[in-house]
Amino acid sequence: GAGVSQSPSNKVTEKGKDVELRCDPISGHTALYWYRQSLGQGLEFLIYFQGNSAPDKSGLPSDRFSAERTGGSVSTLTIQRTQQEDSAVYLCASSLRAAHEQFFGPGTRLTVL
Amino acid sequence: GQNIDQPTEMTATEGAIVQINCTYQTSGFNGLFWYQQHAGEAPTFLSYNVLDGLEEKGRFSSFLSRSKGYSYLLLKELQMKDSASYLCAAPSGGSYIPTFGRGTSLIVHP
């Protein structure tokens, strides 16, 4: 693919519902990152994958957040029992390997009502 | 973890030069990144510095001093389209995961 893609682009959900966000990285990129960005804020690191394993999950805000990556490619970020404070833009990025230039997807704007 | 510090906002005039500074913690340094983010869009890569000195890429240059934990992004011949947030990012503690600063919002006016 030409770049990193994410779906959905927008998601509006009710408090307490579960949501699943998807990221398709650039083919061949071994490193994949999830961030979230609240309005006017910087990027908050959530989780990093190297291949299918996640050596660093330190940024996940709570146990309601989980992520997986399969086939060294697609990744899904799942948020269970969403809360209003989860509202943000969730960005996915991939890089050829760690410590390389990151290519970001367009993001998923999550709104929890 | 890493502590990135950069100014919140800067303004400049079209055609001018602007320098955006960034300081970071030096322990376990693994390079420093600059990204540009236009409002409502995803960040895009500008530069990556690992060694001291200035690297020039067209109108944009990035400088690094590892001993001082200091970097700057220099934008020359400013254009209106350069109005954006500029994010400084660096890993720390031997990690390869960059911590992003809050970004410097640059406003270019005519």
Side-chain angles (χ1 to χ4, degrees):
Chain A
V4 179
S5 60
Q6 292 184 246
S7 60
S9 55
N10 275 287
K11 177 71 177 178
V12 180
T13 190
E14 293 179 348
K15 178 181 170 181
K17 301 276 190 181
D18 298 352
V19 295
E20 195 171 274
L21 312 180
R22 177 187 168 108
C23 171
D24 281 88
I26 293 172
S27 177
H29 280 195
T30 63
L32 186 146
Y33 311 78
W34 282 98
Y35 298 90
R36 74 176 174 182
Q37 187 173 33
S38 301
L39 190 63
Q41 301 298 309
L43 298 181
E44 177 187 1
F45 167 75
L46 298 178
I47 189 169
Y48 157 66
F49 285 94
Q50 181 57 46
N52 290 335
S53 61
D56 192 331
K57 304 180 183 180
S58 62
L60 294 177
S62 74
D63 58 9
R64 296 186 296 105
F65 287 71
S66 63
E68 65 174 11
R69 187 179 185 194
T70 56
S73 180
V74 173
S75 176
T76 53
L77 176 69
T78 302
I79 309 173
Q80 296 178 308
R81 305 181 301 281
T82 52
Q83 304 293 311
Q84 288 183 333
E85 60 262 29
D86 299 334
S87 296
V89 175
Y90 288 81
L91 289 162
C92 172
S94 71
S95 62
L96 193 59
R97 50 184 182 271
H100 261 238
E101 167 188 356
Q102 292 184 13
F103 294 83
F104 283 82
T108 294
R109 181 175 297 279
L110 175 66
T111 304
V112 182
L113 302 176
Chain B
Q2 182 57 272
N3 187 21
I4 303 286
D5 193 29
Q6 52 181 131
T8 304
E9 188 175 291
M10 299 181 72
T11 58
T13 306
E14 192 175 15
I17 299 173
V18 71
Q19 177 176 312
I20 302 174
N21 297 324
C22 171
T23 58
Y24 63 92
Q25 291 178 338
T26 58
S27 62
F29 180 72
N30 270 323
L32 186 135
F33 297 85
W34 283 97
Y35 286 82
Q36 179 190 59
Q37 186 177 25
H38 284 101
E41 297 181 12
T44 55
F45 171 82
L46 290 177
S47 66
Y48 176 51
N49 292 64
V50 179
L51 301 176
D52 290 348
L54 185 69
E55 291 197 9
E56 300 186 62
K57 265 190 202 179
R59 294 189 299 114
F60 291 10
S61 303
S62 55
F63 171 84
L64 178 69
S65 169
R66 288 174 295 173
S67 61
K68 295 181 180 176
Y70 168 68
S71 172
Y72 67 72
L73 183 69
L74 192 70
L75 292 75
K76 303 176 186 175
E77 300 167 18
L78 281 172
Q79 302 175 9
M80 298 297 288
K81 67 178 182 181
D82 297 330
S83 293
S85 182
Y86 291 85
L87 307 171
C88 174
S92 68
S95 164
Y96 289 104
I97 300 167
T99 298
F100 282 80
R102 291 194 163 201
T104 299
S105 178
L106 174 65
I107 301 167
V108 180
H109 55 84

Short mmCIF file of all heavy atoms in Angstrom, two decimals, chain A residues 15-78:
data_model
loop_
_atom_site.label_atom_id
_atom_site.label_comp_id
_atom_site.label_asym_id
_atom_site.label_seq_id
_atom_site.Cartn_x
_atom_site.Cartn_y
_atom_site.Cartn_z
N LYS A 15 -20.76 5.85 26.06
CA LYS A 15 -19.98 5.46 27.23
C LYS A 15 -20.33 4.03 27.63
O LYS A 15 -21.51 3.65 27.66
CB LYS A 15 -20.28 6.42 28.37
CG LYS A 15 -19.59 6.12 29.68
CD LYS A 15 -20.00 7.14 30.74
CE LYS A 15 -19.50 6.69 32.10
NZ LYS A 15 -19.90 7.64 33.16
N GLY A 16 -19.30 3.23 27.88
CA GLY A 16 -19.52 1.86 28.31
C GLY A 16 -19.42 0.83 27.20
O GLY A 16 -19.30 -0.38 27.46
N LYS A 17 -19.46 1.30 25.94
CA LYS A 17 -19.35 0.37 24.81
C LYS A 17 -17.89 0.07 24.51
O LYS A 17 -17.00 0.83 24.88
CB LYS A 17 -19.99 0.98 23.55
CG LYS A 17 -21.46 1.34 23.70
CD LYS A 17 -22.33 0.14 23.47
CE LYS A 17 -23.79 0.59 23.41
NZ LYS A 17 -24.70 -0.54 23.20
N ASP A 18 -17.66 -1.04 23.82
CA ASP A 18 -16.31 -1.40 23.38
C ASP A 18 -16.10 -0.88 21.96
O ASP A 18 -17.04 -0.86 21.15
CB ASP A 18 -16.13 -2.91 23.39
CG ASP A 18 -16.26 -3.53 24.77
OD1 ASP A 18 -16.35 -2.77 25.76
OD2 ASP A 18 -16.29 -4.77 24.86
N VAL A 19 -14.86 -0.50 21.65
CA VAL A 19 -14.54 -0.08 20.28
C VAL A 19 -13.26 -0.77 19.84
O VAL A 19 -12.39 -1.12 20.66
CB VAL A 19 -14.37 1.45 20.14
CG1 VAL A 19 -15.68 2.16 20.42
CG2 VAL A 19 -13.26 1.97 21.02
N GLU A 20 -13.16 -0.96 18.53
CA GLU A 20 -11.98 -1.58 17.95
C GLU A 20 -11.48 -0.69 16.82
O GLU A 20 -12.22 -0.35 15.90
CB GLU A 20 -12.33 -2.97 17.41
CG GLU A 20 -11.13 -3.83 17.11
CD GLU A 20 -11.55 -5.25 16.80
OE1 GLU A 20 -11.72 -6.05 17.74
OE2 GLU A 20 -11.71 -5.57 15.60
N LEU A 21 -10.20 -0.32 16.90
CA LEU A 21 -9.59 0.54 15.89
C LEU A 21 -8.56 -0.28 15.13
O LEU A 21 -7.80 -1.05 15.73
CB LEU A 21 -8.92 1.75 16.55
CG LEU A 21 -9.76 2.49 17.61
CD1 LEU A 21 -8.96 3.67 18.17
CD2 LEU A 21 -11.07 2.96 17.04
N ARG A 22 -8.50 -0.05 13.83
CA ARG A 22 -7.63 -0.87 12.99
C ARG A 22 -6.55 -0.03 12.34
O ARG A 22 -6.76 1.12 11.97
CB ARG A 22 -8.47 -1.56 11.91
CG ARG A 22 -7.67 -2.39 10.92
CD ARG A 22 -8.54 -2.90 9.79
NE ARG A 22 -7.74 -3.46 8.71
CZ ARG A 22 -7.67 -4.77 8.45
NH1 ARG A 22 -8.36 -5.63 9.18
NH2 ARG A 22 -6.92 -5.20 7.45
N CYS A 23 -5.36 -0.66 12.19
CA CYS A 23 -4.24 0.00 11.53
C CYS A 23 -3.59 -0.96 10.54
O CYS A 23 -3.26 -2.09 10.90
CB CYS A 23 -3.21 0.45 12.56
SG CYS A 23 -1.66 1.05 11.83
N ASP A 24 -3.43 -0.49 9.29
CA ASP A 24 -2.70 -1.25 8.29
C ASP A 24 -1.40 -0.52 8.01
O ASP A 24 -1.41 0.55 7.38
CB ASP A 24 -3.52 -1.35 6.99
CG ASP A 24 -4.59 -2.39 7.06
OD1 ASP A 24 -5.71 -2.06 7.51
OD2 ASP A 24 -4.30 -3.53 6.70
N PRO A 25 -0.27 -1.07 8.45
CA PRO A 25 1.00 -0.36 8.27
C PRO A 25 1.51 -0.51 6.84
O PRO A 25 0.95 -1.26 6.03
CB PRO A 25 1.92 -1.08 9.24
CG PRO A 25 1.40 -2.49 9.26
CD PRO A 25 -0.08 -2.36 9.12
N ILE A 26 2.59 0.18 6.55
CA ILE A 26 3.25 0.03 5.26
C ILE A 26 3.88 -1.36 5.20
O ILE A 26 4.49 -1.83 6.17
CB ILE A 26 4.33 1.12 5.08
CG1 ILE A 26 3.64 2.50 4.97
CG2 ILE A 26 5.19 0.86 3.86
CD1 ILE A 26 4.61 3.66 4.97
N SER A 27 3.70 -2.01 4.07
CA SER A 27 4.20 -3.37 3.90
C SER A 27 5.71 -3.42 4.13
O SER A 27 6.47 -2.59 3.60
CB SER A 27 3.87 -3.85 2.48
OG SER A 27 4.40 -5.13 2.26
N GLY A 28 6.13 -4.38 4.96
CA GLY A 28 7.56 -4.53 5.22
C GLY A 28 8.05 -3.79 6.44
O GLY A 28 9.19 -4.01 6.88
N HIS A 29 7.21 -2.93 7.00
CA HIS A 29 7.60 -2.21 8.21
C HIS A 29 7.42 -3.13 9.42
O HIS A 29 6.33 -3.61 9.69
CB HIS A 29 6.77 -0.94 8.37
CG HIS A 29 7.24 0.19 7.53
ND1 HIS A 29 6.83 1.50 7.75
CD2 HIS A 29 8.10 0.23 6.49
CE1 HIS A 29 7.43 2.28 6.85
NE2 HIS A 29 8.20 1.53 6.08
N THR A 30 8.52 -3.33 10.16
CA THR A 30 8.45 -4.25 11.28
C THR A 30 7.97 -3.58 12.57
O THR A 30 7.44 -4.22 13.44
CB THR A 30 9.83 -4.88 11.55
OG1 THR A 30 10.75 -3.84 11.92
CG2 THR A 30 10.34 -5.61 10.32
N ALA A 31 8.19 -2.28 12.67
CA ALA A 31 7.81 -1.56 13.90
C ALA A 31 6.47 -0.85 13.70
O ALA A 31 6.22 -0.25 12.64
CB ALA A 31 8.89 -0.55 14.28
N LEU A 32 5.62 -0.94 14.71
CA LEU A 32 4.31 -0.30 14.65
C LEU A 32 4.02 0.33 16.00
O LEU A 32 4.31 -0.26 17.05
CB LEU A 32 3.23 -1.34 14.31
CG LEU A 32 1.80 -0.82 14.07
CD1 LEU A 32 1.09 -1.65 13.00
CD2 LEU A 32 0.99 -0.74 15.32
N TYR A 33 3.49 1.54 15.98
CA TYR A 33 3.26 2.31 17.20
C TYR A 33 1.81 2.81 17.20
O TYR A 33 1.27 3.18 16.17
CB TYR A 33 4.16 3.54 17.25
CG TYR A 33 5.63 3.29 16.98
CD1 TYR A 33 6.09 3.10 15.68
CD2 TYR A 33 6.56 3.28 18.01
CE1 TYR A 33 7.44 2.89 15.42
CE2 TYR A 33 7.91 3.08 17.76
CZ TYR A 33 8.33 2.88 16.46
OH TYR A 33 9.67 2.68 16.21
N TRP A 34 1.25 2.85 18.40
CA TRP A 34 -0.04 3.52 18.61
C TRP A 34 0.17 4.72 19.54
O TRP A 34 0.86 4.60 20.56
CB TRP A 34 -1.06 2.58 19.26
CG TRP A 34 -1.69 1.59 18.34
CD1 TRP A 34 -1.35 0.28 18.16
CD2 TRP A 34 -2.83 1.80 17.49
NE1 TRP A 34 -2.18 -0.32 17.25
CE2 TRP A 34 -3.10 0.59 16.83
CE3 TRP A 34 -3.65 2.91 17.23
CZ2 TRP A 34 -4.16 0.44 15.91
CZ3 TRP A 34 -4.70 2.76 16.33
CH2 TRP A 34 -4.93 1.54 15.68
N TYR A 35 -0.42 5.84 19.16
CA TYR A 35 -0.40 7.05 19.97
C TYR A 35 -1.83 7.57 20.06
O TYR A 35 -2.68 7.23 19.25
CB TYR A 35 0.43 8.15 19.32
CG TYR A 35 1.90 7.85 19.12
CD1 TYR A 35 2.35 7.25 17.95
CD2 TYR A 35 2.84 8.21 20.08
CE1 TYR A 35 3.70 6.99 17.75
CE2 TYR A 35 4.19 7.96 19.89
CZ TYR A 35 4.61 7.35 18.71
OH TYR A 35 5.95 7.11 18.53
N ARG A 36 -2.07 8.44 21.03
CA ARG A 36 -3.30 9.19 21.01
C ARG A 36 -2.99 10.66 21.25
O ARG A 36 -2.00 11.00 21.90
CB ARG A 36 -4.34 8.68 22.00
CG ARG A 36 -4.09 8.98 23.46
CD ARG A 36 -5.26 8.48 24.28
NE ARG A 36 -4.98 8.64 25.71
CZ ARG A 36 -5.80 8.25 26.67
NH1 ARG A 36 -6.96 7.65 26.36
NH2 ARG A 36 -5.51 8.44 27.93
N GLN A 37 -3.85 11.49 20.69
CA GLN A 37 -3.63 12.93 20.75
C GLN A 37 -4.94 13.61 21.08
O GLN A 37 -5.91 13.52 20.32
CB GLN A 37 -3.07 13.44 19.41
CG GLN A 37 -2.64 14.90 19.43
CD GLN A 37 -1.94 15.31 18.14
OE1 GLN A 37 -2.25 14.82 17.06
NE2 GLN A 37 -0.95 16.19 18.27
N SER A 38 -4.96 14.28 22.21
CA SER A 38 -6.13 15.07 22.58
C SER A 38 -5.95 16.46 22.01
O SER A 38 -4.83 16.88 21.70
CB SER A 38 -6.28 15.12 24.09
OG SER A 38 -6.42 13.81 24.61
N LEU A 39 -7.05 17.19 21.90
CA LEU A 39 -7.04 18.50 21.26
C LEU A 39 -5.97 19.41 21.87
O LEU A 39 -5.93 19.62 23.08
CB LEU A 39 -8.42 19.15 21.40
CG LEU A 39 -8.64 20.41 20.57
CD1 LEU A 39 -8.54 20.10 19.08
CD2 LEU A 39 -10.01 21.03 20.87
N GLY A 40 -5.08 19.92 21.01
CA GLY A 40 -4.07 20.85 21.46
C GLY A 40 -2.94 20.23 22.27
O GLY A 40 -2.10 20.94 22.81
N GLN A 41 -2.93 18.91 22.34
CA GLN A 41 -1.90 18.23 23.13
C GLN A 41 -0.90 17.53 22.22
O GLN A 41 -1.12 17.38 21.02
CB GLN A 41 -2.55 17.19 24.05
CG GLN A 41 -3.55 17.77 25.03
CD GLN A 41 -2.92 18.75 25.99
OE1 GLN A 41 -1.90 18.43 26.62
NE2 GLN A 41 -3.48 19.94 26.09
N GLY A 42 0.20 17.08 22.83
CA GLY A 42 1.19 16.33 22.09
C GLY A 42 0.75 14.88 21.90
O GLY A 42 -0.37 14.50 22.26
N LEU A 43 1.62 14.10 21.33
CA LEU A 43 1.32 12.68 21.11
C LEU A 43 1.64 11.88 22.36
O LEU A 43 2.74 11.95 22.89
CB LEU A 43 2.16 12.15 19.95
CG LEU A 43 1.93 12.78 18.59
CD1 LEU A 43 2.82 12.14 17.55
CD2 LEU A 43 0.49 12.65 18.18
N GLU A 44 0.66 11.11 22.81
CA GLU A 44 0.83 10.25 23.98
C GLU A 44 1.07 8.83 23.50
O GLU A 44 0.20 8.23 22.86
CB GLU A 44 -0.42 10.32 24.86
CG GLU A 44 -0.38 9.42 26.07
CD GLU A 44 -1.71 9.39 26.81
OE1 GLU A 44 -2.67 10.06 26.37
OE2 GLU A 44 -1.80 8.68 27.83
N PHE A 45 2.23 8.28 23.82
CA PHE A 45 2.56 6.93 23.40
C PHE A 45 1.69 5.91 24.11
O PHE A 45 1.46 5.99 25.32
CB PHE A 45 4.04 6.65 23.70
CG PHE A 45 4.43 5.21 23.61
CD1 PHE A 45 4.58 4.60 22.37
CD2 PHE A 45 4.64 4.45 24.75
CE1 PHE A 45 4.94 3.26 22.28
CE2 PHE A 45 4.99 3.12 24.67
CZ PHE A 45 5.14 2.52 23.44
N LEU A 46 1.20 4.92 23.37
CA LEU A 46 0.38 3.87 23.96
C LEU A 46 1.10 2.53 23.97
O LEU A 46 1.27 1.91 25.01
CB LEU A 46 -0.95 3.74 23.21
CG LEU A 46 -1.87 4.96 23.23
CD1 LEU A 46 -3.13 4.69 22.40
CD2 LEU A 46 -2.24 5.33 24.65
N ILE A 47 1.52 2.06 22.78
CA ILE A 47 2.12 0.73 22.68
C ILE A 47 2.97 0.64 21.43
O ILE A 47 2.71 1.34 20.44
CB ILE A 47 1.02 -0.36 22.70
CG1 ILE A 47 1.62 -1.77 22.82
CG2 ILE A 47 0.13 -0.26 21.46
CD1 ILE A 47 0.57 -2.85 23.11
N TYR A 48 3.98 -0.21 21.49
CA TYR A 48 4.92 -0.42 20.39
C TYR A 48 4.99 -1.91 20.08
O TYR A 48 5.06 -2.74 20.97
CB TYR A 48 6.28 0.11 20.82
CG TYR A 48 7.49 -0.46 20.10
CD1 TYR A 48 7.70 -0.23 18.75
CD2 TYR A 48 8.43 -1.21 20.81
CE1 TYR A 48 8.82 -0.74 18.11
CE2 TYR A 48 9.56 -1.71 20.17
CZ TYR A 48 9.74 -1.48 18.82
OH TYR A 48 10.85 -1.97 18.19
N PHE A 49 4.93 -2.24 18.80
CA PHE A 49 5.09 -3.61 18.34
C PHE A 49 6.36 -3.73 17.52
O PHE A 49 6.65 -2.88 16.67
CB PHE A 49 3.90 -4.04 17.44
CG PHE A 49 2.64 -4.31 18.20
CD1 PHE A 49 1.69 -3.30 18.37
CD2 PHE A 49 2.38 -5.55 18.74
CE1 PHE A 49 0.51 -3.53 19.05
CE2 PHE A 49 1.20 -5.81 19.42
CZ PHE A 49 0.26 -4.79 19.58
N GLN A 50 7.09 -4.80 17.74
CA GLN A 50 8.19 -5.18 16.87
C GLN A 50 7.77 -6.56 16.33
O GLN A 50 7.76 -7.55 17.08
CB GLN A 50 9.51 -5.26 17.63
CG GLN A 50 10.69 -5.65 16.76
CD GLN A 50 10.90 -4.72 15.58
OE1 GLN A 50 10.87 -3.49 15.72
NE2 GLN A 50 11.14 -5.29 14.43
N GLY A 51 7.44 -6.62 15.07
CA GLY A 51 6.80 -7.82 14.56
C GLY A 51 5.45 -7.98 15.24
O GLY A 51 4.70 -7.01 15.33
N ASN A 52 5.15 -9.17 15.73
CA ASN A 52 3.87 -9.41 16.40
C ASN A 52 3.94 -9.24 17.90
O ASN A 52 2.90 -9.34 18.57
CB ASN A 52 3.38 -10.83 16.09
CG ASN A 52 2.95 -10.99 14.65
OD1 ASN A 52 2.59 -10.04 14.00
ND2 ASN A 52 3.03 -12.22 14.15
N SER A 53 5.12 -9.01 18.43
CA SER A 53 5.22 -8.89 19.88
C SER A 53 5.29 -7.44 20.31
O SER A 53 5.75 -6.57 19.57
CB SER A 53 6.44 -9.66 20.39
OG SER A 53 7.61 -9.12 19.84
N ALA A 54 4.83 -7.20 21.52
CA ALA A 54 4.78 -5.84 22.07
C ALA A 54 5.75 -5.72 23.23
O ALA A 54 5.36 -5.94 24.38
CB ALA A 54 3.35 -5.51 22.51
N PRO A 55 7.00 -5.36 22.96
CA PRO A 55 7.98 -5.26 24.03
C PRO A 55 7.71 -4.10 24.98
O PRO A 55 8.25 -4.08 26.08
CB PRO A 55 9.31 -5.06 23.30
CG PRO A 55 8.96 -4.57 21.94
CD PRO A 55 7.61 -5.11 21.63
N ASP A 56 6.89 -3.15 24.55
CA ASP A 56 6.62 -2.00 25.41
C ASP A 56 5.14 -1.65 25.38
O ASP A 56 4.64 -1.14 24.38
CB ASP A 56 7.47 -0.79 24.99
CG ASP A 56 7.46 0.33 26.03
OD1 ASP A 56 6.45 0.46 26.76
OD2 ASP A 56 8.44 1.08 26.11
N LYS A 57 4.46 -1.96 26.49
CA LYS A 57 3.04 -1.63 26.62
C LYS A 57 2.85 -0.56 27.68
O LYS A 57 1.74 -0.34 28.15
CB LYS A 57 2.23 -2.86 27.05
CG LYS A 57 2.37 -4.06 26.15
CD LYS A 57 1.52 -5.22 26.69
CE LYS A 57 1.69 -6.47 25.85
NZ LYS A 57 0.88 -7.59 26.36
N SER A 58 3.93 0.09 28.03
CA SER A 58 3.91 0.97 29.20
C SER A 58 2.96 2.15 29.08
O SER A 58 2.54 2.71 30.09
CB SER A 58 5.33 1.50 29.48
OG SER A 58 5.79 2.27 28.38
N GLY A 59 2.61 2.50 27.85
CA GLY A 59 1.77 3.66 27.67
C GLY A 59 0.28 3.40 27.75
O GLY A 59 -0.51 4.35 27.79
N LEU A 60 -0.12 2.15 27.79
CA LEU A 60 -1.56 1.86 27.85
C LEU A 60 -2.12 2.44 29.16
O LEU A 60 -1.65 2.09 30.23
CB LEU A 60 -1.83 0.36 27.76
CG LEU A 60 -1.46 -0.29 26.43
CD1 LEU A 60 -1.70 -1.79 26.48
CD2 LEU A 60 -2.23 0.35 25.27
N PRO A 61 -3.16 3.29 29.07
CA PRO A 61 -3.63 4.02 30.25
C PRO A 61 -4.26 3.13 31.32
O PRO A 61 -4.20 3.49 32.50
CB PRO A 61 -4.68 4.98 29.68
CG PRO A 61 -4.48 4.98 28.21
CD PRO A 61 -3.87 3.69 27.84
N SER A 62 -4.88 2.05 30.91
CA SER A 62 -5.54 1.18 31.89
C SER A 62 -5.74 -0.19 31.27
O SER A 62 -5.45 -0.40 30.09
CB SER A 62 -6.90 1.77 32.29
OG SER A 62 -7.84 1.59 31.24
N ASP A 63 -6.24 -1.12 32.07
CA ASP A 63 -6.45 -2.48 31.54
C ASP A 63 -7.66 -2.55 30.60
O ASP A 63 -7.97 -3.61 30.07
CB ASP A 63 -6.59 -3.50 32.67
CG ASP A 63 -7.72 -3.18 33.64
OD1 ASP A 63 -8.51 -2.26 33.34
OD2 ASP A 63 -7.81 -3.85 34.67
N ARG A 64 -8.35 -1.43 30.41
CA ARG A 64 -9.42 -1.41 29.41
C ARG A 64 -8.86 -1.35 27.99
O ARG A 64 -9.57 -1.61 27.03
CB ARG A 64 -10.34 -0.20 29.64
CG ARG A 64 -11.10 -0.20 30.96
CD ARG A 64 -12.09 0.95 31.04
NE ARG A 64 -11.44 2.27 31.04
CZ ARG A 64 -11.44 3.08 29.98
NH1 ARG A 64 -12.03 2.74 28.86
NH2 ARG A 64 -10.85 4.27 30.06
N PHE A 65 -7.58 -1.00 27.89
CA PHE A 65 -6.92 -0.88 26.59
C PHE A 65 -6.10 -2.12 26.30
O PHE A 65 -5.34 -2.58 27.16
CB PHE A 65 -5.98 0.34 26.58
CG PHE A 65 -6.67 1.67 26.54
CD1 PHE A 65 -7.36 2.14 27.64
CD2 PHE A 65 -6.64 2.45 25.40
CE1 PHE A 65 -8.00 3.38 27.61
CE2 PHE A 65 -7.27 3.68 25.35
CZ PHE A 65 -7.95 4.15 26.46
N SER A 66 -6.22 -2.65 25.09
CA SER A 66 -5.39 -3.76 24.67
C SER A 66 -5.14 -3.63 23.18
O SER A 66 -5.88 -2.93 22.48
CB SER A 66 -6.06 -5.10 24.98
OG SER A 66 -7.28 -5.21 24.26
N ALA A 67 -4.10 -4.28 22.72
CA ALA A 67 -3.78 -4.21 21.29
C ALA A 67 -3.11 -5.51 20.88
O ALA A 67 -2.48 -6.18 21.70
CB ALA A 67 -2.86 -3.03 20.99
N GLU A 68 -3.28 -5.85 19.62
CA GLU A 68 -2.60 -7.00 19.07
C GLU A 68 -2.18 -6.70 17.65
O GLU A 68 -2.71 -5.79 17.00
CB GLU A 68 -3.47 -8.25 19.14
CG GLU A 68 -4.72 -8.20 18.29
CD GLU A 68 -5.45 -9.54 18.28
OE1 GLU A 68 -5.12 -10.42 19.09
OE2 GLU A 68 -6.36 -9.69 17.45
N ARG A 69 -1.22 -7.49 17.20
CA ARG A 69 -0.77 -7.37 15.81
C ARG A 69 -0.60 -8.78 15.28
O ARG A 69 -0.03 -9.64 15.96
CB ARG A 69 0.56 -6.62 15.74
CG ARG A 69 1.00 -6.31 14.32
CD ARG A 69 2.30 -5.55 14.30
NE ARG A 69 2.65 -5.16 12.93
CZ ARG A 69 3.85 -4.72 12.57
NH1 ARG A 69 4.82 -4.61 13.46
NH2 ARG A 69 4.07 -4.39 11.31
N THR A 70 -1.10 -9.02 14.11
CA THR A 70 -1.04 -10.35 13.53
C THR A 70 -0.32 -10.35 12.20
O THR A 70 -0.41 -9.36 11.43
CB THR A 70 -2.46 -10.93 13.34
OG1 THR A 70 -3.22 -10.01 12.55
CG2 THR A 70 -3.15 -11.13 14.68
N GLY A 71 0.40 -11.44 11.92
CA GLY A 71 1.09 -11.58 10.64
C GLY A 71 2.13 -10.51 10.41
O GLY A 71 2.51 -10.26 9.25
N GLY A 72 2.58 -9.86 11.47
CA GLY A 72 3.55 -8.79 11.31
C GLY A 72 2.99 -7.63 10.54
O GLY A 72 3.75 -6.79 10.01
N SER A 73 1.67 -7.54 10.48
CA SER A 73 1.06 -6.50 9.65
C SER A 73 -0.01 -5.75 10.44
O SER A 73 0.29 -4.93 11.28
CB SER A 73 0.51 -7.11 8.38
OG SER A 73 -0.07 -6.12 7.56
N VAL A 74 -1.27 -6.11 10.20
CA VAL A 74 -2.41 -5.38 10.75
C VAL A 74 -2.40 -5.39 12.26
O VAL A 74 -2.08 -6.40 12.90
CB VAL A 74 -3.72 -6.00 10.23
CG1 VAL A 74 -4.92 -5.38 10.92
CG2 VAL A 74 -3.81 -5.84 8.72
N SER A 75 -2.78 -4.25 12.82
CA SER A 75 -2.89 -4.15 14.28
C SER A 75 -4.27 -3.62 14.64
O SER A 75 -4.85 -2.81 13.91
CB SER A 75 -1.83 -3.22 14.84
OG SER A 75 -1.98 -3.04 16.24
N THR A 76 -4.79 -4.10 15.76
CA THR A 76 -6.05 -3.56 16.27
C THR A 76 -5.85 -3.09 17.71
O THR A 76 -5.17 -3.75 18.50
CB THR A 76 -7.18 -4.60 16.24
OG1 THR A 76 -6.73 -5.78 16.92
CG2 THR A 76 -7.56 -4.95 14.83
N LEU A 77 -6.41 -1.95 18.00
CA LEU A 77 -6.41 -1.39 19.35
C LEU A 77 -7.85 -1.48 19.85
O LEU A 77 -8.77 -0.98 19.19
CB LEU A 77 -5.94 0.06 19.34
CG LEU A 77 -5.97 0.81 20.67
CD1 LEU A 77 -4.93 0.26 21.62
CD2 LEU A 77 -5.74 2.31 20.44
N THR A 78 -8.04 -2.14 20.96
CA THR A 78 -9.38 -2.32 21.52
C THR A 78 -9.50 -1.56 22.83
O THR A 78 -8.62 -1.64 23.69
CB THR A 78 -9.68 -3.81 21.78
OG1 THR A 78 -9.54 -4.53 20.56
CG2 THR A 78 -11.09 -4.00 22.32
#
